[in-house]
Amino acid sequence: MIKVTLICGGSAVRRYDETGKIPSGKWLNDHGGVVNVKTFKTQGEYDAYSMGLNDADGWEETMLTNKEFTTRNDKSTDCVHCKEWRAIFSNRENDVFCPDCGKLIIHHEKEELNDNE
């Protein structure tokens, strides 16, 4: 498991750069910013989160929209354990992610509900 402290907000990041210490809750209330502790089960989860933060750097707001699974059965990015986990969880009806690498290994399309029913 990987544990990191996330500091958001220009003034809070500058405060950390100047002092080398995490800004206190009182300081954040007075000057703005947010401090959160994040934990990740795998290095892959941490890397993906880190890349997302880097992509969002410099933008005032960001948003994820139109989530779509395009490579349902793509096994080219499997870790050494994905195949085993896929077999173990094969009877699941919900999405399943590999416990080792975090990749989506089983995805079932949800049926559209008919308004007439």
Side-chain angles (χ1 to χ4, degrees):
M1 184 157 306
I2 300 168
K3 181 179 173 182
V4 297
T5 301
L6 173 66
I7 303 172
C8 296
S11 59
V13 171
R14 281 189 295 280
R15 176 72 173 177
Y16 177 79
D17 287 341
E18 292 168 359
T19 66
K21 297 179 182 178
I22 305 295
S24 69
K26 181 182 180 332
W27 191 95
L28 293 168
N29 285 336
D30 293 342
H31 299 93
V34 174
V35 173
N36 284 323
V37 174
K38 299 282 188 184
T39 56
F40 304 94
K41 292 180 183 176
T42 67
Q43 183 68 40
E45 287 180 6
Y46 170 80
D47 291 344
Y49 188 82
S50 179
M51 285 188 292
L53 286 177
N54 286 335
D55 288 347
D57 187 34
W59 294 97
E60 185 176 330
E61 293 183 31
T62 60
M63 181 175 79
L64 294 175
T65 185
N66 298 333
K67 178 180 173 183
E68 181 179 343
F69 294 96
T70 57
T71 55
R72 286 183 211 136
N73 297 315
D74 179 15
K75 294 181 175 73
S76 66
T77 58
D78 282 1
C79 75
V80 296
H81 303 289
C82 282
K83 183 177 179 181
E84 293 173 65
W85 289 118
R86 199 175 280 113
I88 291 169
F89 296 124
S90 63
N91 63 344
R92 297 289 173 98
E93 294 181 11
N94 294 322
D95 290 349
V96 177
F97 296 86
C98 176
D100 291 297
C101 71
K103 176 187 173 187
L104 178 68
I105 57 173
I106 297 175
H107 175 69
H108 296 287
E109 294 290 328
K110 299 206 185 316
E111 293 181 20
E112 296 292 326
L113 293 177
N114 188 342
D115 289 337
N116 298 331
E117 293 181 14

